[in-house]
């Protein structure tokens, strides 16, 4: 996982078995993030602040964070989660803002879905998690030779059960693909895809 502040955030459990959440808060990334590979990348997590939480079931709290750096990826990917602020985060998220542009060029393989978003690539499947006061002002530019099983959104490219409050996308979303490419599973949303 690659993040401007934290690559992979882990959690720990106290001796009495009480889970303690890791908190990533009050961080601002100004640095550009550039990732390129000539081989297929799987399980790729990239975010302007946080790449991924290590435990996808329990997660990391992400509070009051900003990304102001550009995120650029050039690769063949599958099962990737890329966001202006966080690639993959599963827990409470509040007061996160992205101002940097996000650019992806390459191929998306269809074996596993890939999510690309202005703020959160993939969010939580837990109905108890809330996402509040989130904004994206950066532009998303996606250029692919294959767009099968691709999700692109301004705020969150994949989230099933969580509650969102006061979320705004002001960034432009531009997707180009080769004429021969299929788009049987191409999902695009100004705010969300699912």
């Amino acid at each position: 996982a690659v993040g401007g502040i934290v690559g992979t955030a882990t959690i720990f459990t106290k001796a009495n078995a009480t889970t303690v959440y890791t908190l990533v808060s009050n961080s601002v990334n100004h640095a550009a993030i550039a990732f390129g590979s000539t081989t297929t990348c799987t399980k790729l997590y990239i975010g302007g602040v946080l790449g991924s939480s290590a435990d996808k079931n329990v997660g990391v709290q992400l509070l009051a964070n900003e990304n102001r750096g550009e995120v650029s990826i050039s690769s063949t990917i599958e099962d990737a989660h890329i966001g202006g602020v966080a690639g993959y985060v599963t827990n409470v998220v509040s007061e996160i803002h992205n101002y940097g542009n996000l650019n992806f060029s390459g191929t998306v393989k269809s074996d596993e879905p890939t999510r690309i978003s202005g703020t959160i690539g993939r969010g939580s499947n837990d109905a108890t998690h809330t996402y509040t006061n989130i904004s994206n002002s950066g532009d998303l530019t996606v250029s692919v030779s294959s767009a099968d099983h691709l999700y692109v959104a301004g705020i969150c490219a994949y989230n099933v059960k969580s509650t969102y409050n006061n979320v705004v996308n002001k960034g432009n979303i531009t997707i180009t693909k080769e004429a021969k490419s299929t788009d049987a599973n191409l999902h695009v949303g100004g705010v969300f895809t699912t």
Side-chain angles (χ1 to χ4, degrees), residues 15 21 30 56 85 91 109 131 157-158:
Y21 297 102
H30 290 276
K56 307 303 185 294
V85 176
N91 205 309
K109 290 197 168 181
Y131 290 62
Y158 180 83

Side-chain angles (χ1 to χ4, degrees), residues 82-85 98 100 102 116-120 135-136 138 140 153-156:
I82 301 163
V85 176
N98 178 57
L102 193 153
I116 301 173
S117 173
T119 56
I120 302 167
S135 70
N136 174 56
L140 277 74
I155 296 296
C156 185

Side-chain angles (χ1 to χ4, degrees), residues 42-137:
T42 59
K43 303 291 184 188
L44 180 64
Y45 307 98
I46 298 177
V49 173
L50 171 68
S52 178
S53 51
D55 187 322
K56 307 303 185 294
N57 296 315
V58 179
V60 171
Q61 293 185 359
L62 193 60
L63 307 175
N65 295 279
E66 291 182 3
N67 176 57
R68 294 180 175 272
E70 183 173 87
V71 177
S72 300
I73 299 101
S74 177
S75 182
T76 297
I77 58 176
E78 63 178 317
D79 195 14
H81 309 283
I82 301 163
V85 176
Y88 192 165
V89 62
T90 55
N91 205 309
V92 175
V93 175
S94 180
E95 298 292 343
I96 65 168
H97 308 286
N98 178 57
Y99 301 97
N101 294 332
L102 193 153
N103 305 297
F104 171 80
S105 63
T107 300
V108 176
K109 290 197 168 181
S110 61
D111 295 342
E112 295 289 338
T114 286
R115 286 95 180 201
I116 301 173
S117 173
T119 56
I120 302 167
R122 180 173 178 173
S124 177
N125 290 335
D126 189 330
T128 65
H129 295 162
T130 59
Y131 290 62
T132 307
N133 298 331
I134 300 171
S135 70
N136 174 56
S137 299

Side-chain angles (χ1 to χ4, degrees), residues 125-174:
N125 290 335
D126 189 330
T128 65
H129 295 162
T130 59
Y131 290 62
T132 307
N133 298 331
I134 300 171
S135 70
N136 174 56
S137 299
D139 293 336
L140 277 74
T141 304
V142 178
S143 177
V144 291
S145 58
S146 172
D148 194 32
H149 233 124
L150 174 64
Y151 297 75
V152 180
I155 296 296
C156 185
Y158 180 83
N159 188 297
V160 177
K161 299 177 184 176
S162 299
T163 302
Y164 280 81
N165 299 299
N166 192 29
V167 296
V168 178
N169 176 47
K170 296 179 181 178
N172 297 313
I173 299 174
T174 305

